[in-house]
Amino acid sequence: MEIYKTNEDQSDQLVWRTEVVKNNLNPSWEPFRLSLHSLCSCDVHRPLKFLVYDYDSSGKHDFIGEFTSTFQEMQEGTANPGQEMQWDCINPKYRDKKKNYKSSGTVVLA
């Protein structure tokens, strides 16, 4: 998974790339810490884009889907012990081509 912050000029800047989890259709990534400055330039409302890929040994990793959030949304959604946030991971190409497409999976923040 890759996390991007949206800059003032609306460009996206990579701020974090998780480790690769091979051969797992339900991966769990290791916990990590980022400074608020690195993640969102200390703007808790700044849009964050999350891109999820399926590892391919050839190097042509398959795009699973994406979702957006903000630090504030993530913080509020996990404020209480045991509380989780969920996002549908959407692949825009599938969404636009398949009538009954809902998502390519769900990403959970615990």
Side-chain angles (χ1 to χ4, degrees):
M1 181 169 59
E2 296 177 342
I3 304 172
Y4 293 83
K5 67 179 172 183
T6 303
N7 293 316
E8 298 294 330
D9 65 0
Q10 301 307 305
S11 64
D12 292 326
Q13 179 181 347
L14 179 66
V15 295
W16 187 258
R17 182 178 288 132
T18 65
E19 78 280 4
V20 174
V21 179
K22 296 180 184 179
N23 303 318
N24 191 331
L25 295 176
N26 191 21
S28 290
W29 292 283
E30 291 294 322
F32 58 90
R33 289 180 181 259
L34 292 173
S35 70
L36 197 57
H37 179 72
S38 294
L39 180 64
C40 58
S41 301
C42 299
D43 175 0
V44 298
H45 303 288
R46 184 180 296 262
L48 301 170
K49 185 188 299 184
F50 297 78
L51 304 180
V52 181
Y53 294 89
D54 181 36
Y55 173 81
D56 190 342
S57 59
S58 72
K60 294 185 177 182
H61 311 308
D62 300 318
F63 178 64
I64 301 297
E66 64 187 33
F67 64 95
T68 59
S69 188
T70 64
F71 177 77
Q72 181 177 4
E73 180 184 38
M74 292 185 293
Q75 187 177 37
E76 289 175 356
T78 58
N80 297 318
Q83 193 174 356
E84 296 179 341
M85 291 269 324
Q86 294 190 101
W87 295 270
D88 287 332
C89 196
I90 305 296
N91 186 319
K93 288 182 183 178
Y94 294 163
R95 180 192 60 213
D96 296 344
K97 290 182 181 180
K98 297 180 180 182
K99 284 185 178 182
N100 295 326
Y101 177 80
K102 292 182 181 179
S103 74
S104 294
T106 303
V107 175
V108 178
L109 173 64

